[in-house]
Amino acid sequence: MVDLHANERLIINQLFDRGIFTSTITPEMTNNTVNAIAALKQPLVQRRITNYLTDLLGMGPYNYQENLLLLVGEQQLTAEEVHVLLATLKAVINEPSIQADEDGRIVSAQTIIRQVRSEVVDLDEKRIFRLIKRLFVERFKLFTPEQLEQAPGDQAILVEEYWSVSPDFTSVAQCLVNNLRTAQQRTPLTEIQQVNRGLLRRRFLSPKVTPYLWTVLVENKVKIAEKWAQLQRFELEIGDDYALLLDRQRQRSAAKPYIIALAVARSLGAGLPQEQLNQRVHQIVERLYGAPQNVSITLVKEALFENALASKHGQNILPTPLVKRFAVRATEEEKI
C-alpha cells in the first residue's frame, strides 16, 4: 500500500469537505494549500489522487484545468440542487461585473435569486435562497457574503444581501457543468467500494440498518480501516453491532441545532417513527430551554444525520452509539 503525501491528503480531504479543490491562489490561503495547488500541476500527483479515490470509492475526481470535482457520498447533488445550481451559474456568469472581469465582483443576492426563480419556477424565492446559500456560500465557498457601506444618514429598513464572487467562479462553473451534463460511464462497484461509499455517506453502519454492507465490512474490516487511515484523518471504529467512521477534523459543535440534535438522538431510545421527528424536536427544545426558540427544524435534522447521531431504518429513526459519548445541557445564558 502506497502512503499518500501531505499535499495529496490535503487535496483529497478538501474534496470530501467541499466536493471541489480549486487551483486559483488567493491571499487568504494557507501555505499548505498553496503548496498543494503547486503539487497538483504534477501528473504523478494527479494520478496518485485518482488511483486512491478510485480504489476507495470506485471513481476519481473530474479534472478541469486543475480544478477538481468529486460529487460522491454526502457530496452528491439532488435533482432540485442541480436545477438551482445550473440556473445560478448561468445568472452569475451573465452579470455585467463578472463578464467584465472586474476586481470587485459583487452581485446582489436578490437579483440572482429572481433570475434563478425565472427558471426554477416550482420553488419559491425563500427556498432558492436557502439552496444557493447552502451550495455556493457554505459548501463550494464560491460566494462570500458582503455588506455594502451605506451613505451617512441612510436608515434602510431592510439591508439587501450581496455576495462577493470567487475568482475561481468561472473555471469551477465550467467544471461543474461539464461534470453534470456529461453522461459518465459508471463501472460496477466492488463490495468494499460499496461499504466505503456507505461509510462516507452515513458515517454509521450496523447489521440492523445496513445488513448487506455490514457483512462485507466485518469480513474486510482490517483492509477497509487501513485504507481510510491513509488520509490521517479518519478512524474506523467497529463494535459488536456498529461501525463509525470518526472524523478527527470535525470539532465538537456548540451550535444550537447540533446541541438540540444531540439531545433528540439521546431521546430516541429503541427508535422513533419518522413522522414524529418534528414533534420530538419541539419537545426537546422546550425541555432544554424552557421556552420557544427560533430554531430551524431543518437544521436540527441535518445536524442529526450529518453528524452520525442517528440513522434511518425504514420509517424509523434510530440512535447511533456515538450519542452515548456526549451529555447535553443548556447554559443559563441560553435559557434567557
Side-chain angles (χ1 to χ4, degrees), residues 27-40:
E28 66 274 8
M29 278 185 177
T30 64
N31 289 335
N32 288 340
T33 303
V34 172
N35 292 338
I37 291 173
L40 189 59

Side-chain angles (χ1 to χ4, degrees), residues 125-244:
E125 290 191 1
K126 185 179 293 186
R127 176 63 177 165
I128 289 171
F129 172 74
R130 286 200 297 265
L131 285 172
I132 293 176
K133 189 172 181 179
R134 182 193 303 170
L135 290 169
F136 288 88
V137 177
E138 298 168 0
R139 178 169 166 185
F140 295 136
K141 294 180 171 55
L142 294 174
F143 294 165
T144 302
E146 299 284 353
Q147 185 173 345
L148 299 187
E149 293 185 6
Q150 292 178 290
D154 283 355
Q155 294 183 351
I157 297 175
L158 181 63
V159 178
E160 185 177 357
E161 182 164 350
Y162 289 83
W163 291 317
S164 175
V165 180
S166 166
D168 276 317
F169 187 88
T170 302
S171 56
V172 173
Q174 192 62 57
C175 185
L176 284 161
V177 170
N178 290 352
N179 181 259
L180 292 171
R181 290 184 172 172
T182 301
Q184 300 184 31
Q185 289 282 341
R186 298 189 180 274
T187 57
L189 301 177
T190 68
E191 291 182 328
I192 290 179
Q193 287 168 346
Q194 292 176 49
V195 170
N196 287 332
R197 288 199 181 198
L199 286 168
L200 185 62
R201 183 175 68 253
R202 296 170 174 265
R203 302 297 171 95
F204 170 76
L205 301 180
S206 75
K208 180 183 289 187
V209 176
T210 51
Y212 168 68
L213 295 180
W214 177 258
T215 302
V216 178
L217 172 63
V218 171
E219 292 175 352
N220 300 276
K221 59 184 179 181
V222 174
K223 182 177 180 181
I224 292 171
E226 287 177 346
K227 194 67 180 178
W228 283 106
Q230 283 185 270
L231 288 172
Q232 297 184 13
R233 170 180 178 176
F234 296 103
E235 179 183 350
L236 183 60
E237 177 179 301
I238 303 177
D240 293 336
D241 59 353
Y242 74 92
L244 285 169

Side-chain angles (χ1 to χ4, degrees), residues 9-18 74 200 203 228-236 245-250:
R9 291 196 302 269
L10 186 151
I11 292 170
I12 293 169
N13 282 325
Q14 191 169 122
L15 285 171
F16 284 159
D17 291 336
R18 295 177 56 193
E74 290 181 336
L200 185 62
R203 302 297 171 95
W228 283 106
Q230 283 185 270
L231 288 172
Q232 297 184 13
R233 170 180 178 176
F234 296 103
E235 179 183 350
L236 183 60
L245 188 64
L246 301 175
D247 186 351
R248 300 186 192 123
Q249 289 186 10
R250 177 166 286 175

Side-chain angles (χ1 to χ4, degrees), residues 27 44 58 60 96 103 107 115 138 147 165 237 251 255 259 289 311-312 317 332:
L44 177 60
D103 291 336
V107 296
Q115 291 182 29
E138 298 168 0
Q147 185 173 345
V165 180
E237 177 179 301
Q251 301 296 316
I259 298 299
Y289 301 102
S311 62
K312 297 178 183 178
I317 308 297
E332 292 305 313

Side-chain angles (χ1 to χ4, degrees), residues 229-331:
Q230 283 185 270
L231 288 172
Q232 297 184 13
R233 170 180 178 176
F234 296 103
E235 179 183 350
L236 183 60
E237 177 179 301
I238 303 177
D240 293 336
D241 59 353
Y242 74 92
L244 285 169
L245 188 64
L246 301 175
D247 186 351
R248 300 186 192 123
Q249 289 186 10
R250 177 166 286 175
Q251 301 296 316
R252 187 178 300 181
S253 176
K256 189 172 289 185
Y258 176 84
I259 298 299
I260 296 169
L262 181 53
V264 169
R266 289 177 62 86
S267 76
L268 293 175
L272 181 77
Q274 187 170 335
E275 67 270 14
Q276 297 179 21
L277 183 57
N278 286 3
Q279 181 184 357
R280 178 62 56 88
V281 172
H282 288 298
Q283 291 171 346
I284 293 298
V285 169
E286 185 174 352
R287 185 186 307 170
L288 278 178
Y289 301 102
Q293 298 285 309
N294 184 21
V295 176
S296 166
I297 299 293
T298 300
L299 291 179
V300 172
K301 291 196 286 189
E302 286 178 356
L304 189 67
F305 298 112
E306 290 177 2
N307 291 281
L309 300 174
S311 62
K312 297 178 183 178
H313 180 54
Q315 297 301 311
N316 294 317
I317 308 297
L318 306 178
T320 73
L322 189 62
V323 301
K324 298 177 182 178
R325 303 180 185 186
F326 305 102
V328 181
R329 180 176 62 87
T331 66

